[in-house]
């Protein structure tokens, strides 16, 4: 049993070869992606023992998802196989620097995740559970599952990445209300300034923190500019930490947020200071930006450790 459990749908991802548009590509490369599985992969790459749980179809794509995640070092021991529903699929289509996302996941095996699955997940025996705002949008039973995970009496801490995916919600107002309620029940929240603007009409880091007052940590990301962490120890006021992002030659942006969460959480589990955790987040996100798939280009863990420990001058 691992200390960390990531719960959420993973899919097979298709991308046109050589950046070709899907409308005309003759070759499509297949990868495995899904926000929570991406975080699990990022954690495993940094040496953190981690399990991923979801439901997949009893089909070749389900096999591919589980096989690929296991190859990345993620434990998939209890993943449920569903003979009646397929594994979800999605495609990314890149046109210049813009990427559009096309989902084929309605009615997928993962959309049948429910509170009936909870007993087998042994939440109380974990140190950290990671979930995202994608799962509650997949189906009412998925929403109920995440609600229960966030309401469980806490010995495990729960981290929640807001991950607003407009295509999965009926409208912004529904998403705004639900995602704020769920996020405010987590212990640690990741949210982008752009999401704050879209959902709650504020892109200001302090304003977003004010809307999510309960979590002990709220990390507000501002793309390639910086990340700000609001961290509160019991009963105390927030301490605020800001770390600038790295500038890299971007290949593709999808998955960078998950990589950031993985980097941050890996450091946080080691109880490093907050600045180092933010730097780990940026490093991991930077490596994901260099990759056309949704997960970071691997880096030797010792080199990763050296980079995140650089002093302020070295970091800039
Ligand atoms: O954060 C990246 C994810 O969005 C991607 O891997 C696919 O899980 C996914 C989703 O629902 O968009």
């Amino acid at each position: 049993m691992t200390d960390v459990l990531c719960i959420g749908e993973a899919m097979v991802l298709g991308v046109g070869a050589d950046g070709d548009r899907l409308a005309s590509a003759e070759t499509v490369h297949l990868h495995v992606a899904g926000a929570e599985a991406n975080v699990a992969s990022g954690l495993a790459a940094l040496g953190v023992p981690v399990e991923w749980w979801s439901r997949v179809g009893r089909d070749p794509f389900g096999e591919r998802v589980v096989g690929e995640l296991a190859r990345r070092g993620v434990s998939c021991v209890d993943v449920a196989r569903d003979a009646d529903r397929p594994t979800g699929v999605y495609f990314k289509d890149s046109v210049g620097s813009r990427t559009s996302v096309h989902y084929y996941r309605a009615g997928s095996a993962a959309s049948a995740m429910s509170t009936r699955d909870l007993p087998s997940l042994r939440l109380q025996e974990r140190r950290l559970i990671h979930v995202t705002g994608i799962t509650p949008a997949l189906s009412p039973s998925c929403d109920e599952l995440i609600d229960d995970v966030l309401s469980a009496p806490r010995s495990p801490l729960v981290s929640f990445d807001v991950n607003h995916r407009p295509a999965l919600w009926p409208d912004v107002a529904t998403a705004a209300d639900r995602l704020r309620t769920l996020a405010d029940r987590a212990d640690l929240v990741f949210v982008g300034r752009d999401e704050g603007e879209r959902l709650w009409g504020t892109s200001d880091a302090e304003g977003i923190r004010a809307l999510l007052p309960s979590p002990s940590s709220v990390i507000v990301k501002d793309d390639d500019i910086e990340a700000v962490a609001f961290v509160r120890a019991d009963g105390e006021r927030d301490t605020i930490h800001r770390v600038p992002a790295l500038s890299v030659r971007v290949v593709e942006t999808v998955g960078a947020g998950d990589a950031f969460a993985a980097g941050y959480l890996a450091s946080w589990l080691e109880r490093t200071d907050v600045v180092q955790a933010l730097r780990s987040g940026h490093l991991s996100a930077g490596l994901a930006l260099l990759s056309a798939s949704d997960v970071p280009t691997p880096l030797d863990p010792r080199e990763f450790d050296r980079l995140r420990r650089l002093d302020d001058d070295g970091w800039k």
Side-chain angles (χ1 to χ4, degrees):
M1 156 107 37
T2 58
D3 282 356
V4 184
L5 174 66
C6 299
I7 304 173
E9 179 164 30
M11 296 166 284
V12 162
L13 156 67
V15 186
D18 303 321
D20 289 349
R21 298 218 41 201
L22 288 173
S24 53
E26 287 186 3
T27 306
V28 173
H29 288 160
L30 298 183
H31 305 268
V32 168
E36 304 81 0
N38 294 344
V39 172
S41 304
L43 286 168
L46 294 172
V48 177
V50 56
E51 181 176 342
W52 167 77
W53 183 84
S54 181
R55 307 183 72 86
V56 296
R58 196 175 283 283
D59 53 23
F61 280 169
E63 223 177 285
R64 184 170 184 132
V65 165
V66 171
E68 171 63 22
L69 292 177
R71 201 186 56 73
R72 293 180 195 165
V74 176
S75 167
C76 299
V77 280
D78 283 325
V79 170
R81 322 275 171 133
D82 191 327
D84 300 321
R85 291 166 176 265
T87 303
V89 175
Y90 93 104
F91 291 87
K92 287 196 295 198
D93 200 16
S94 295
V95 188
S97 60
R98 280 183 56 87
T99 301
S100 57
V101 169
H102 304 271
Y103 295 126
Y104 299 84
R105 69 197 299 186
S108 68
S111 71
M113 290 188 284
S114 80
T115 53
R116 283 194 304 278
D117 296 310
L118 273 178
S120 66
L121 301 181
R122 290 163 296 171
L123 299 186
Q124 297 310 321
E125 297 168 43
R126 317 284 182 162
R127 224 174 121 200
L128 175 73
I129 314 286
H130 179 73
V131 292
T132 82
I134 293 171
T135 308
L138 298 180
S139 69
S141 71
C142 283
D143 178 73
E144 205 186 337
L145 172 69
I146 298 304
D147 200 290
D148 271 28
V149 167
L150 285 161
S151 316
R154 289 283 208 285
S155 50
L157 296 176
V158 181
S159 63
F160 183 90
D161 192 329
V162 170
N163 270 352
H164 174 228
R165 300 288 179 266
L168 298 176
W169 291 91
D171 53 63
V172 177
T174 309
D177 187 45
R178 190 63 183 139
L179 290 173
R180 184 175 162 198
T181 302
L182 293 172
D184 200 43
R185 284 206 237 133
D187 299 289
L188 204 145
V189 174
F190 298 96
V191 57
R193 283 186 61 180
D194 53 342
E195 290 176 309
E197 179 64 46
R198 210 163 54 226
L199 291 166
W200 307 310
T202 176
S203 60
D204 172 59
E206 279 75 11
I208 293 173
R209 171 50 153 168
L211 290 167
L212 301 172
S214 308
S216 54
S217 302
V218 173
I219 294 97
V220 182
K221 299 166 293 171
D222 188 6
D223 286 334
D224 54 352
I225 300 178
E226 65 171 3
V228 186
F230 298 83
V231 178
R232 191 179 56 227
D234 281 341
E236 290 175 15
R237 292 163 68 91
D238 275 340
T239 53
I240 304 176
H241 311 261
R242 292 174 188 272
V243 172
L246 292 168
S247 76
V248 298
R249 203 181 287 268
V250 177
V251 173
E252 209 274 314
T253 57
V254 181
D258 305 326
F260 183 95
Y264 189 94
L265 291 172
S267 277
W268 179 83
L269 286 161
E270 281 178 38
R271 303 186 203 286
T272 66
D273 64 51
V274 180
V275 167
Q276 241 180 63
L278 288 168
R279 286 180 180 170
S280 298
H282 285 313
L283 268 173
S284 181
L287 292 166
L289 291 167
L290 293 172
S291 158
S293 85
D294 285 4
V295 289
T297 307
L299 183 71
D300 183 288
R302 279 165 307 185
E303 178 61 2
F304 190 94
D305 194 46
R306 185 187 73 77
L307 290 170
R308 75 175 172 175
R309 286 177 199 279
L310 288 175
D311 60 18
D312 282 350
D313 288 339
W315 180 253
K316 283 180 217 142

